[in-house]
Amino acid sequence: MKQFIKLTSRIVPLPIENVDTDQIIPARFLKDTSKIGYKKYLFHDWRFEADGKPKADFVLNNPTYTGEVLLAGKNFGSGSSREHAAWAIADYGFRVVISSYFADIFKNNAMNNGVLPIVVSEAFLAELFESVGEDVSMTISIDLPNQEVKNNSTGRSESFEINPYKKECFLNGFDDIDYLLSKKDLIEEYEQKREF
Amino acid sequence: MKTLFDKIWDAHVVSQVPEGPTQLYIDHLYAHEVTSAQAFQGLRDRNLTVFRPQQVTCIPDHNVPSLHQDLPIAEEASRIPVETLDKNAKEFGVEYFPIGHKKNGIIHVVGPENGITQPGMTIVCGDSHTSTHGAMGCVAFGIGTSEVEMVLATQCIFQSRPKTMRITIDGELKKGVCAKDVALYIIAQMSTGGATGYFVEYAGSVVRNLSMEGRLTLCNLSIEMGARGGMIAPDQVTFDYLKGREYAPKGEDWERSLAYWKTLKSDEDAVFDKEIYFDAKDINPCITYGTNPGMGMAIDESIPTLQEIDESGKDSFVKSLKYMDFQPGEKLLGKQIDYVFMGSCTNGRIEDFRLFTEFVKGKKKAENVVAWLVPGSWKVKQQIEEEGLDKILSEAGFEVREPSCSACLAMNEDKVPAGKYAVSTSNRNFEGRQGPGSRTILAGPLVAAAAAIYGKLVDPRNV
């Protein structure tokens, strides 16, 4: 997993609520058996016409918007557990997704793939959408050690929460499996002593 | 002082990472072909074996055609993941019910009906509808592929403890209202993200009076309001359902297990982080009108007007109705429809087919409707035939296909064309869910049956 400490980036705004993982990547693109190469499918049916032509009004097709931060309306990543959604977001080059809340499974999947899901207040989210609406080149700064996200356009910042264990994983680029494998003795001990 | 969830979760804690997640022991992992290939590959890359192969069951279901399963899958893109699962299951030595096997079907139908899923277990699968198994008194939840790999490698997973919520539904369901309507009603009240971060226990007289099939439907849809999972305390309904099933404990083991299962209920003084109450008298046959399962209403109600929607949600609401080609404030009764899909892990069980068949008996399918009736498993299909439902359905103009996830998410050939309306007993009405451009109206088996007969949305109580 890629290390994450600090990031200053422009924003790609997607002011839609309840973006489900079927929109992030439609089911018909889940047939590959690898974890890479999904960026071309990201938001596929919002991004492309049936004949494959880019839809001019979709944000990923608008070259004025760029950056490693995706800003989304509340309840991002609901629905299917498909990790392909996180793989597509990571493969496209996003390292952070910001919303006022995330669906639980998507949040875990994102974190297991080095994509940081940041939960901000509804007011801060609205302000970010407003700032990027006024100035597409505005930037945001994320400071993971201090758990702070800053709107560089207004100078306002907000702190965000992250589980201390997951924070360590991001700061060091570790993943869960390495850690679990180191605990095998505990697992066998548990199996022996349980009654049911 | 413990909730049902606490009792099961606490019994499965292997360790607690300081200030971090819980290392939770998993009793059973189910795996299908869409979300497991990369996990098995991960084991190979790390030179690992499956840690507890007897606690893993693999079943292909998403890409499986609903006709001609004796032939190779025609579409290569669908065939490869299924063949990959074949190879992985054999190479890693885990239990496998391939296409055509008498125990094949949709994972969330097969697990309970064979008694693999049992009360008190922790169960995971790379599939959000794993919440289904909670109906038998389990802590069951969907996970991502990285987590599937963790469980294959260690039989454990790292999870943060969710908050607990109890949803109590008391009273007596009105005639013509089924478990699916209860679920769609609850989700519409809660919204599509309203239970995010929570594990839900369903309680109350309505839940107690539901059959096992109905309970599985209710828990299946927990994820559609964002819940981590849903569960119901096991009781006589659960025990009667389980007894004698192939994987259920036998003899003394049964008695010993039963004694334990009977302790699996929330203590009288247990405290939930959130308690919600609903009354059965407020629940009617439901449909959805939008593009998430929270956009639901009673079949005879009107779509909300723009004024009734919160400011922040207006753009999404307008986008959704535009996709569906519906108007704010519109009534949908009488609306012509094109497709009916009966099946899925939500409504692909025998009771669902009985309800559907009872309604269409002696009637004829509308000519303008294409209907796909897809049982949730070969066992369900066999039971349909044993009970003679297939003959009644055939006389009414319906064909019973072969088990698959099918048109629920259109990964096989069963795709609803762009712009067409499908009344579907499945679980999601997301844009393009049943095929690019498809328009889904979620409903229970009775509303679906009525739509198939009349070719339009009708209230099954009034015909």
Side-chain angles (χ1 to χ4, degrees), chain B residues 53-258:
Chain B
Q54 70 280 19
Q55 289 167 242
V56 179
T57 306
C58 292
I59 308 175
D61 53 12
H62 283 58
N63 284 278
V64 176
S66 65
L67 286 176
H68 309 303
Q69 289 184 15
D70 51 328
L71 302 175
I73 300 176
E75 194 202 341
E76 190 187 12
S78 278
R79 195 170 64 242
I80 290 172
V82 173
E83 286 174 353
T84 306
L85 185 64
D86 285 352
K87 179 170 163 279
N88 287 333
K90 280 174 197 142
E91 180 182 330
F92 289 93
V94 297
E95 183 159 50
Y96 186 48
F97 306 150
I99 293 179
H101 189 282
K102 64 182 194 313
K103 285 191 285 239
N104 180 265
I106 305 169
I107 283 188
H108 311 311
V109 175
V110 171
E113 79 180 358
N114 286 287
I116 301 170
T117 298
Q118 294 167 18
M121 282 183 159
T122 47
I123 290 178
V124 295
C125 174
D127 193 294
S128 59
H129 292 110
T130 308
S131 61
T132 313
H133 305 262
M136 304 197 63
C138 305
V139 168
F141 52 92
I143 58 175
T145 300
S146 297
E147 294 169 316
V148 171
E149 187 180 339
M150 288 174 212
V151 179
L152 286 170
T154 70
Q155 208 58 38
C156 288
I157 194 171
F158 273 141
Q159 288 290 296
S160 300
R161 189 186 189 104
K163 290 177 281 187
T164 55
M165 180 190 294
R166 179 160 59 190
I167 297 180
T168 305
I169 316 129
D170 275 324
E172 200 170 325
L173 287 181
K174 291 189 261 193
K175 193 168 175 288
V177 174
C178 52
K180 178 67 164 284
D181 300 314
V182 177
L184 289 176
Y185 172 81
I186 293 174
I187 299 162
Q189 304 306 308
M190 301 287 298
S191 89
T192 190
T196 302
Y198 289 89
F199 214 99
V200 173
E201 180 180 343
Y202 298 97
S205 57
V206 165
V207 177
R208 288 286 137 233
N209 291 331
L210 283 178
S211 65
M212 201 62 234
E213 284 87 351
R215 294 176 183 191
L216 289 159
T217 300
L218 181 61
C219 288
N220 171 274
L221 289 162
S222 305
I223 182 72
E224 307 312 337
M225 52 182 171
R228 201 73 188 82
M231 66 197 310
I232 295 171
D235 60 10
Q236 202 55 44
V237 172
T238 324
F239 310 142
D240 291 346
Y241 177 90
L242 255 179
K243 193 158 192 181
R245 297 201 183 246
E246 185 177 340
Y247 290 74
K250 308 276 183 315
E252 273 180 33
D253 274 353
W254 171 265
E255 296 304 328
R256 206 171 61 97
S257 300
L258 192 62

Side-chain angles (χ1 to χ4, degrees), chain B residues 191-351:
Chain B
S191 89
T192 190
T196 302
Y198 289 89
F199 214 99
V200 173
E201 180 180 343
Y202 298 97
S205 57
V206 165
V207 177
R208 288 286 137 233
N209 291 331
L210 283 178
S211 65
M212 201 62 234
E213 284 87 351
R215 294 176 183 191
L216 289 159
T217 300
L218 181 61
C219 288
N220 171 274
L221 289 162
S222 305
I223 182 72
E224 307 312 337
M225 52 182 171
R228 201 73 188 82
M231 66 197 310
I232 295 171
D235 60 10
Q236 202 55 44
V237 172
T238 324
F239 310 142
D240 291 346
Y241 177 90
L242 255 179
K243 193 158 192 181
R245 297 201 183 246
E246 185 177 340
Y247 290 74
K250 308 276 183 315
E252 273 180 33
D253 274 353
W254 171 265
E255 296 304 328
R256 206 171 61 97
S257 300
L258 192 62
Y260 169 58
W261 296 343
K262 286 181 174 171
T263 68
L264 296 175
K265 52 187 171 196
S266 291
D267 295 332
E268 298 255 333
D269 51 356
V271 178
F272 290 80
D273 295 305
K274 205 169 192 175
E275 292 252 25
I276 298 195
Y277 299 90
F278 294 112
D279 191 326
K281 74 172 167 28
D282 300 327
I283 308 177
N284 292 299
C286 286
I287 53 169
T288 60
Y289 57 84
T291 55
N292 73 57
M295 301 173 83
M297 62 183 187
I299 189 161
D300 54 358
E301 279 181 328
S302 306
I303 296 173
T305 59
L306 207 50
Q307 290 72 35
E308 293 173 81
I309 303 297
D310 286 346
E311 198 53 47
S312 72
K314 277 199 166 91
D315 289 350
S316 303
F317 177 77
V318 168
K319 181 179 186 305
S320 179
L321 290 198
K322 188 175 168 216
Y323 181 85
M324 295 299 290
D325 196 20
F326 291 154
Q327 300 302 318
E330 189 180 358
K331 265 197 179 226
L332 296 182
L333 270 183
K335 191 97 190 168
Q336 189 173 320
I337 58 102
D338 310 290
Y339 283 75
V340 166
F341 172 56
M342 170 67 202
S344 85
C345 59
T346 309
N347 280 131
R349 298 181 183 81
I350 187 64
E351 184 180 275

Side-chain angles (χ1 to χ4, degrees), chain A:
Chain A
M1 207 175 89
K2 209 168 159 184
Q3 214 181 14
F4 187 107
I5 300 169
K6 286 182 182 189
L7 175 71
T8 294
S9 166
R10 284 172 59 174
I11 286 178
V12 177
L14 186 67
I16 301 172
E17 296 184 348
N18 305 315
V19 174
D20 59 78
T21 54
D22 272 77
Q23 306 321 312
I24 299 173
I25 180 166
R28 63 186 186 280
F29 303 122
L30 310 183
K31 299 186 181 193
D32 289 350
T33 53
S34 75
K35 286 188 184 183
I36 48 168
Y38 291 97
K39 69 179 166 200
K40 56 183 179 290
Y41 306 130
L42 180 64
F43 296 116
H44 188 279
D45 293 353
W46 285 350
R47 197 169 144 199
F48 302 107
E49 302 285 355
D51 62 6
K53 284 204 194 83
K55 292 182 181 175
D57 60 351
F58 187 63
V59 67
L60 294 192
N61 296 323
N62 183 343
T64 56
Y65 292 105
T66 178
E68 296 172 274
V69 176
L70 179 65
L71 184 70
K74 74 176 179 192
N75 192 27
F76 186 81
S78 59
S80 159
S81 65
R82 60 190 68 165
E83 196 161 318
H84 310 66
W87 296 333
I89 285 171
D91 198 37
Y92 191 85
F94 288 118
R95 299 185 65 202
V96 172
V97 186
I98 298 178
S99 183
S100 56
Y101 69 93
F102 292 89
D104 294 322
I105 307 177
F106 173 80
K107 196 173 175 182
N108 280 353
N109 287 342
M111 289 200 283
N112 283 330
N113 288 281
V115 173
L116 187 63
I118 297 181
V119 175
V120 296
S121 66
E122 300 229 350
F124 196 77
L125 186 72
E127 188 193 286
L128 284 172
F129 275 122
E130 203 175 303
S131 296
V132 72
E134 285 164 5
D135 173 15
V136 294
S137 64
M138 65 84 71
T139 63
I140 190 169
S141 292
I142 291 127
D143 176 344
L144 180 58
N146 290 309
Q147 296 177 218
E148 192 179 71
V149 50
K150 186 174 177 191
N151 177 343
N152 293 321
S153 183
T154 61
R156 258 197 284 273
S157 62
E158 194 170 273
S159 62
F160 63 87
E161 286 188 25
I162 182 169
N163 175 314
Y165 163 80
K166 274 292 173 194
K167 181 175 173 179
E168 280 305 301
C169 287
F170 269 91
L171 293 174
N172 297 298
F174 294 156
D175 73 17
D176 285 352
I177 298 181
D178 297 325
Y179 192 90
L180 277 169
L181 285 169
S182 72
K183 300 275 175 197
K184 271 215 168 140
D185 51 337
L186 283 178
I187 303 168
E188 281 166 349
E189 198 180 303
Y190 169 84
E191 285 177 328
Q192 272 160 21
K193 70 172 192 224
R194 71 185 297 215
E195 289 171 44
F196 281 94

Side-chain angles (χ1 to χ4, degrees), chain B residues 22-41:
Chain B
T22 303
Q23 180 188 0
L24 194 72
Y25 190 81
I26 299 301
D27 291 316
H28 209 87
L29 168 75
Y30 294 107
H32 62 64
E33 80 282 11
V34 182
T35 55
S36 67
Q38 295 85 351
F40 282 111
Q41 187 55 43

